[in-house]
Amino acid sequence: MSSKRNAIIAGVCGAAFVAYCFYFDRKRRSDPHFKEKLRQCRRKKICSEKSGPAQLPDLTDRKAVQKYFLEEIQLGEELLLQGELDRGVDHLTSAIAVCSQPQQLLQVLQQTLPVPVFQKLLTKLPTISQQIISSRPLTEDGVE
């Protein structure tokens, strides 16, 4: 008897939740500014994605470099999964450029990435690495 009662209560709660979802969705869509808000949100998202790889961290700060590395790897993987190969490769290349052991990372990426994507990564790597080297501050005697 108790299990029957619990099943009925669960069913009523489930139906109430679904009804609330329909009500909320209808109210949201009937808002006169709904489409305008939706367009603004999409514009913000597109603008933030167009910015490309994040700004380089202070290369002398180990924690900042590590955080930047992890963020770039994660962003690169997500973009590759979404099918945005160029942007994903850009982020992975930035991560490789600040990595303390780039050869090991390249070996792992070679095993996990499809060949065309890995080739694209290798072609972009010198450009990104040169940008990072040129952004590093030099010491007084001109040697890093």
Side-chain angles (χ1 to χ4, degrees):
M1 181 91 165
S2 176
S3 64
K4 202 178 227 186
R5 183 175 164 215
N6 288 341
I8 291 173
I9 290 173
V12 169
C13 289
F17 178 72
V18 170
Y20 174 74
C21 290
F22 279 114
Y23 165 77
F24 180 73
D25 187 53
R26 185 177 192 128
K27 185 175 181 174
R28 179 181 62 100
R29 287 178 181 250
S30 65
D31 181 19
H33 302 291
F34 170 70
K35 288 186 179 181
E36 183 180 323
K37 290 177 186 176
L38 188 62
R39 283 188 200 110
Q40 287 175 351
C41 180
R42 287 182 181 165
R43 280 189 207 123
K44 287 180 185 177
K45 193 177 222 181
I46 289 171
C47 289
S48 67
E49 288 177 354
K50 285 184 180 179
S51 65
Q55 293 293 325
L56 288 174
D58 178 16
L59 296 175
T60 59
D61 183 5
R62 191 170 187 80
K63 287 183 181 180
V65 171
Q66 185 177 15
K67 181 181 176 194
Y68 175 82
F69 171 78
L70 293 173
E71 288 173 355
E72 290 298 297
I73 290 288
Q74 184 179 11
L75 267 171
E77 289 175 349
E78 288 175 5
L79 290 169
L80 288 176
L81 288 174
Q82 293 173 3
E84 298 183 35
L85 299 180
D86 289 331
R87 290 182 47 223
V89 167
D90 287 343
H91 286 282
L92 288 176
T93 307
S94 297
I96 292 169
V98 298
C99 182
S100 61
Q101 299 172 341
Q103 293 301 324
Q104 291 177 347
L105 180 59
L106 281 171
Q107 288 173 353
V108 170
L109 290 174
Q110 184 177 15
Q111 294 171 359
T112 57
L113 294 176
V115 175
V117 175
F118 185 72
Q119 290 298 323
K120 193 178 284 193
L121 186 131
L122 288 179
T123 58
K124 288 188 176 190
L125 189 59
T127 308
I128 298 292
S129 296
Q130 188 60 36
Q131 289 174 354
I132 289 176
I133 289 171
S134 65
S135 71
R136 285 184 180 172
L138 297 176
T139 57
E140 290 178 11
D141 60 355
V143 180
E144 293 182 88

